[in-house]
Amino acid sequence: MAKHAIGIDIGGTGIKAAVADVKSGKLLSDRLRVETPKGGKPKDVAQAVLELVKQLDNGQNLEVGICFPAVVQHGITKSAANISSEWIDLDAQSLFARKLRRHVHVINDADAAGVAEVKFGAAKKQRGLTIMTTLGTGIGTALLYDGTLVPNAELGHLEIDGVDYESKAAFSAKERENLSWQEWAKRLQKYYSRLEALLIPDLIIVGGGVSKQHEEFLPLLNLKTKIVPAMSRNSAGILGAAALAYKNRRD
């Protein structure tokens, strides 16, 4: 039986979606993208997700995995990073299930990316502690120990120099302040050095859209820990969400 599911990656600026083969880790459709509705309110985001699913499903009633920029505990979004505060303490899983009229699985976006890298990418068969980081509107993080996810690690919000450091080191900060790669790398150095000192990881993976330009900034970092780009690049969230939706499907 084909192992296919739809992955949806909701971000602060855009929503990406595709059909994935959760055995091979390949996308089976074009990766669709729409802008995140202004204000990022739940009903508007749910409608945007419905429209994407309609384009991708073709009557197959595929399982849908949704990854989201928030702490997600048993389907409830407990925080809201770069999106409407209306998501806080909302039963997002039930919201999407009602809207899509099917079972869905909702997970933190960095956790989904981490799962994809363990299953299909740079963390496959990796022992010890892997830290997955996603650089985008904010900084997402996932902790994986011997391939097992420790969910909802919000380490993008580490306080460094008296500020929530994702405001200084996320890719959005580079764009907002028009930083050169070298200037941005200095901020990333400070951030990753703090992660390294606190957790002593065996591997750090860098994902997010900017990871396709990893040659511009990863060689500028000086860390004891091996740091590599995500093999699934900016599709990691889609792949991880789809894989978890299929794994947790209701037959």
Side-chain angles (χ1 to χ4, degrees):
M1 185 177 71
K3 296 183 177 181
H4 301 165
I6 295 172
I8 310 280
D9 186 350
I10 298 172
T13 56
I15 303 174
K16 303 182 291 294
V19 179
D21 182 320
V22 302
K23 183 176 181 179
S24 68
K26 304 293 185 184
L27 297 186
L28 302 175
S29 70
D30 291 336
R31 193 176 67 179
L32 306 181
R33 186 188 187 280
V34 297
E35 296 296 309
T36 301
K38 188 175 181 180
K41 293 183 179 295
K43 63 180 177 125
D44 298 329
V45 170
Q47 182 62 38
V49 167
L50 174 62
E51 295 303 320
L52 288 168
V53 170
K54 283 180 178 178
Q55 293 180 66
L56 293 167
D57 191 61
N58 295 321
Q60 300 174 79
N61 201 35
L62 295 171
E63 296 289 331
V64 176
I66 299 171
C67 63
F68 197 81
V71 170
V72 181
Q73 188 176 40
H74 309 303
I76 297 171
T77 43
K78 308 294 288 186
S79 64
N82 306 302
I83 206 157
S84 171
S85 61
E86 291 181 16
W87 290 96
I88 298 174
D89 291 325
L90 179 72
D91 189 343
Q93 194 151 290
S94 293
L95 168 70
F96 287 116
R98 288 194 304 270
K99 192 69 175 178
L100 303 181
R101 297 184 178 180
R102 71 188 73 195
H103 176 247
V104 302
H105 186 80
V106 180
I107 186 174
N108 170 267
D109 52 0
D111 284 353
V115 167
E117 287 299 302
V118 165
K119 191 169 176 62
F120 310 114
K124 191 171 185 178
K125 298 182 180 179
Q126 174 69 39
R127 303 287 295 174
L129 178 62
T130 296
I131 304 179
M132 175 78 200
T133 62
T134 57
L135 303 176
T137 306
I139 297 177
T141 62
L143 300 181
L144 304 121
Y145 191 79
D146 286 351
T148 298
L149 175 69
V150 181
N152 295 313
E154 290 287 284
L155 298 172
H157 299 292
L158 281 177
E159 183 177 312
I160 302 174
D161 296 337
V163 298
D164 180 337
Y165 211 65
E166 76 165 12
S167 67
K168 304 291 286 184
F171 183 60
S172 59
K174 179 187 185 304
E175 293 184 307
R176 183 177 62 250
E177 300 180 42
N178 197 27
L179 300 174
S180 68
W181 292 109
Q182 291 76 14
E183 289 170 328
W184 187 48
K186 289 180 181 178
R187 298 187 183 187
L188 292 177
Q189 178 71 47
K190 184 172 287 191
Y191 173 71
Y192 284 115
S193 291
R194 179 65 62 87
L195 276 186
E196 191 176 53
L198 289 171
L199 294 170
I200 322 295
D202 296 281
L203 177 67
I204 298 172
I205 303 174
V206 179
V210 72
S211 63
K212 63 181 176 287
Q213 297 171 276
H214 62 91
E215 299 95 340
E216 300 284 356
F217 63 96
L218 287 190
L220 302 176
L221 302 181
N222 182 22
L223 300 169
K224 297 176 183 177
T225 306
K226 182 179 181 182
I227 184 166
V228 299
M231 289 178 66
S232 43
R233 301 290 193 267
N234 206 23
S235 297
I238 290 173
L239 288 170
L244 288 165
Y246 188 85
K247 180 180 178 181
N248 292 284
R249 68 193 183 281
R250 293 179 181 174
D251 295 319

